[in-house]
Amino acid sequence: EEEEARQALAVFDPVWQLLTPLEQGRLVALLVQQVNYDGATGNVAITFHPTSIRALADELAQKQQELSA
């Protein structure tokens, strides 16, 4: 869901800054299934792998719990 993706990415933002470009590329490849661009309208549509955002959100929540403990 869009809100779930927004929350996961907001939490992930500080971590993203620490990743190397190679790691960032690998992560994007794991999350994004397809990108469509309509040059006539300038619209971009991104399709995520069905469970990738939820898996990322779950993993980040677990890491936050570990750091808080």
Side-chain angles (χ1 to χ4, degrees):
E1 297 297 322
E2 186 176 334
E3 182 57 30
E4 189 175 60
R6 187 174 290 125
Q7 289 174 359
L9 294 174
V11 172
F12 187 72
D13 190 50
V15 176
W16 181 262
Q17 302 301 322
L18 300 175
L19 298 176
T20 67
L22 180 61
E23 292 169 324
Q24 290 175 346
R26 287 179 46 210
L27 183 59
V28 169
L30 289 172
L31 294 173
V32 176
Q33 183 175 1
Q34 184 174 344
V35 177
N36 292 314
Y37 174 68
D38 183 343
T41 63
N43 290 328
V44 175
I46 301 172
T47 304
F48 293 96
H49 290 287
T51 59
S52 62
I53 295 294
R54 182 176 301 275
L56 178 60
D58 291 346
E59 184 175 328
L60 290 173
Q62 181 180 355
K63 296 242 186 241
Q64 281 187 323
Q65 287 177 347
E66 290 172 3
L67 292 174
S68 298

